Amino acid sequence: MEDIHHVQNWIDGSHTASTTERIDVYNPATEALIATIPSTPRSAVTSTITSSLAHFHSGAWSRADPSTRFAVLSRAASLLRSRLAEFASLETLQTGRPISEMRAQLSRIPEWLEYFASLARTYEGSVTPFKGPVVNTLTRSPLGVVVQITPWNHPLLIATKKMAAALAAGNCVVVKPSEVAPLSVLRMGELLREAGLPDGTVQIVCGYGAETGRFLCEDARIAKIDLTGGLETYRAVAKVAGVNMVPVTAELGGKAPVCVFPSMEVERAVKAALFAGFIASGQTCVTGSRILVHKDIYDGFVALIEKRTRALRIGDPTSTQTQIGAVVSQSAVERCAGFVSRALAKGGRLICGGQATKVNGKGFFFEPTLIETRADSDLACNEVFGPVIAIIKCDSEDDVVRVANSTAYALGASVWSNDFAQAHRVAEKIEAGIVWINAHHLNDPSSPWGGFKESGIGKENGREAYESYTKVKSTIINYGIEPTWFDDQVENARYG
């Protein structure tokens, strides 16, 4: 145990002890204990928010010139880019995702810091077409101390894109990373300080969501909650946020359909479905977990995707030859197995996979799995968050659209067609916050990210995210309307 590193919270510019209670962090690919983190109690949460409020009101960041925010966030991007190898290895260690995935994903994360740095520098207020001799300016200012609850599946990406938007707008941020994979986020504290971010502008607090996360969200002094997680977590957060009148952005679950039409070459469609469904072992909010295939190419598609899926290489995530890494925990393995058993019990046909497995006798791994099933089945309607994919035969374009829209989720969807008119027609009809045409998973800091229905509220990325971390002030400057309402014998006095 002497080799196990304990990583403290990042508070006021340094790693700071807040409790003796510890949470173990494991490598899901080896089941080895790799670190411990604090289980932060309410008293420490309260003092952290008090400190954050003092930093916010000091104006060191909240009133910093936009050019200063631009310079600091740009430096942070450069520092992160110079240390990507270190961060990628850490992500693989704590998530069990293949190193090739993490290198590719992390190579783009500095772009979020650069984009929001530029937005901080170039964002312009506006002047409304106010009637009469009046100038009406609209300006934005930061909200205050904001709380961000981030998940384990993309630890650094999601934390960075939330922090970048909030910091660009001038807020102070308290981040609670998932207790399952917090290590890369904790390391960002030192990097941001090195970039010149004033101490206390970002605090990183560890703990269980039901405890530390709840303590953060229950503090009435915070100005916003930004959550990526499950629907039940959102419902718990929304209750207290409503009482305290705190706005919430919530990126929740998904059941993304991959809609495949006959004009698309079968080989390309299969490649698309493999990427959409099995990247990150199916543990993303936009996993292509429902493959809706038009009947005219169904048989050929299923035959080829079975062949390609059986050939995917499960293995040690640190090997560049590995294509499928671990799922995050034993409970994730059991969840996948449960979906498989229920699907088969209800008449689904197992095409391939369906079993838990190990690598070198250890780890939480599950075979890439394809199951032919009905559109209204448990597997086709509910989020697995693992490599278990439903394949559904559809009779027509209208049938594809109907099935695509038939779940409670509406985050992402992809349409695969070489018929330009069809692709746009279908994309318009699909209910989802993000619709890709002949693509899946593509993301950019400038492109709003968020869903409809039970997939969430509000947007990450883009101007929409930046603006959600600000409040609008309307300043009305009158240079010609006299206040004559109560004067005698005045006609056409203006009231409003």
Side-chain angles (χ1 to χ4, degrees):
M1 286 295 292
E2 63 272 16
D3 295 328
I4 301 303
H5 185 43
H6 181 67
V7 187
Q8 299 283 10
N9 292 338
W10 180 261
I11 304 295
D12 294 341
S14 66
H15 287 290
T16 303
S18 59
T19 179
T20 58
E21 301 257 341
R22 296 188 176 191
I23 298 171
D24 294 337
V25 181
Y26 291 91
N27 179 341
T30 65
E31 305 177 48
L33 179 64
I34 55 175
T36 61
I37 56 170
S39 178
T40 308
R42 187 186 292 273
S43 58
V45 166
T46 299
S47 65
T48 298
I49 292 176
T50 298
S51 177
S52 296
L53 284 164
H55 288 296
F56 179 80
H57 291 302
S58 76
W61 186 253
S62 60
R63 292 193 293 274
D65 191 85
S67 62
T68 299
R69 295 182 200 158
F70 167 80
V72 170
L73 293 176
S74 296
R75 281 197 295 271
S78 297
L79 289 170
L80 180 56
R81 189 169 278 116
S82 72
R83 298 170 190 174
L84 286 178
E86 164 195 337
F87 276 95
S89 295
L90 193 54
E91 292 285 78
T92 289
L93 182 70
Q94 66 182 353
T95 67
R97 290 181 57 183
I99 188 66
S100 57
E101 284 187 11
M102 302 322 304
R103 287 171 179 166
Q105 183 181 83
L106 268 62
S107 70
R108 295 208 56 213
I109 294 178
E111 295 176 33
W112 268 260
L113 292 162
E114 290 166 339
Y115 172 81
F116 283 107
S118 298
L119 199 53
R121 182 70 180 87
T122 62
Y123 192 92
E124 297 178 353
S126 60
V127 177
T128 73
F130 207 103
K131 183 176 180 178
V134 174
V135 175
N136 178 202
T137 63
L138 304 183
T139 54
R140 291 183 179 270
S141 56
L143 297 175
V145 175
V146 300
V147 167
Q148 298 175 342
I149 310 293
T150 64
W152 51 259
N153 59 326
H154 304 294
L156 191 62
L157 171 64
I158 293 178
T160 301
K161 67 181 182 177
K162 290 182 189 296
M163 287 192 291
L167 292 172
N171 297 280
C172 286
V173 180
V174 182
V175 182
K176 195 209 81 67
S178 168
E179 68 277 8
V180 175
L183 303 179
S184 57
V185 180
L186 282 162
R187 196 162 293 185
M188 281 295 289
E190 297 174 54
L191 186 148
L192 290 168
R193 187 174 195 269
E194 186 178 345
L197 190 71
D199 291 346
T201 306
V202 166
Q203 320 273 40
I204 304 171
V205 177
C206 295
Y208 295 110
E211 297 174 2
T212 304
R214 177 167 59 86
F215 303 152
L216 285 166
C217 294
E218 285 177 348
D219 196 304
R221 298 171 295 170
I222 64 174
K224 178 182 170 71
I225 299 167
D226 192 338
L227 161 73
T228 296
L231 182 60
E232 291 309 311
T233 301
Y234 165 73
R235 286 173 172 159
V237 167
K239 288 180 182 178
V240 67
V243 170
N244 293 334
M245 296 185 67
V246 173
V248 178
T249 294
E251 201 267 74
L252 308 175
K255 195 68 184 176
V258 178
C259 306
V260 182
F261 290 97
S263 63
M264 178 58 58
E265 303 87 349
V266 169
E267 294 80 2
R268 188 178 180 204
V270 166
K271 290 180 181 180
L274 289 172
F275 174 65
F278 294 128
I279 196 79
S281 294
Q283 298 172 119
T284 83
C285 52
V286 291
T287 290
S289 54
R290 294 183 294 155
I291 307 176
L292 316 185
V293 186
H294 193 282
K295 65 179 182 179
D296 290 355
I297 58 168
Y298 184 82
D299 291 343
F301 177 92
V302 170
L304 184 56
I305 198 171
E306 177 184 356
K307 179 181 177 182
R308 289 293 308 272
T309 300
R310 289 185 184 275
L312 292 173
R313 295 186 296 275
I314 304 173
D316 177 0
T318 64
S319 168
T320 57
Q321 297 303 304
T322 293
Q323 294 175 308
I324 303 294
V327 293
V328 76
S329 64
Q330 179 60 31
S331 62
V333 170
E334 293 167 2
R335 180 175 174 84
C336 291
F339 270 97
V340 171
S341 63
R342 290 192 299 274
L344 300 185
K346 292 294 184 179
R349 180 176 74 89
L350 181 65
I351 297 171
C352 63
Q355 298 293 323
T357 187
K358 300 283 185 182
V359 171
N360 298 323
K362 296 179 180 179
F364 309 123
F365 294 85
F366 203 86
E367 295 175 342
T369 300
L370 301 171
I371 297 177
E372 184 180 67
T373 188
R374 303 186 320 275
D376 61 353
S377 68
D378 170 55
L379 176 61
C381 294
N382 295 301
E383 188 172 41
V384 180
F385 229 69
V388 182
I389 308 302
I391 298 184
I392 302 162
K393 181 189 285 189
C394 296
D395 292 333
S396 64
E397 178 183 309
D398 288 343
D399 195 29
V400 170
V401 171
R402 178 188 63 79
V403 174
N405 292 337
S406 64
T407 76
Y409 298 106
L411 179 54
S414 60
V415 178
W416 295 84
S417 174
N418 286 323
D419 181 333
F420 180 85
Q422 179 184 58
H424 282 268
R425 187 168 62 241
V426 172
E428 184 177 4
K429 293 176 182 177
I430 287 179
E431 298 170 0
I434 308 157
V435 180
W436 294 279
I437 294 177
N438 296 342
H440 203 101
H441 283 297
L442 294 183
N443 193 3
D444 192 85
S446 65
S447 178
W449 182 281
F452 310 144
K453 299 196 292 190
E454 290 185 6
S455 285
I457 295 173
K459 301 293 183 183
E460 297 177 332
N461 297 351
R463 293 170 64 94
E464 288 80 359
Y466 175 85
E467 291 174 353
S468 77
Y469 278 103
T470 66
K471 52 194 175 186
V472 178
K473 177 178 286 186
S474 176
T475 303
I476 301 168
I477 307 157
N478 170 30
Y479 61 90
I481 300 172
E482 294 298 321
T484 58
W485 185 268
F486 288 108
D487 291 357
D488 292 334
Q489 298 179 340
V490 173
E491 295 182 0
N492 301 317
R494 183 165 171 176
Y495 174 73

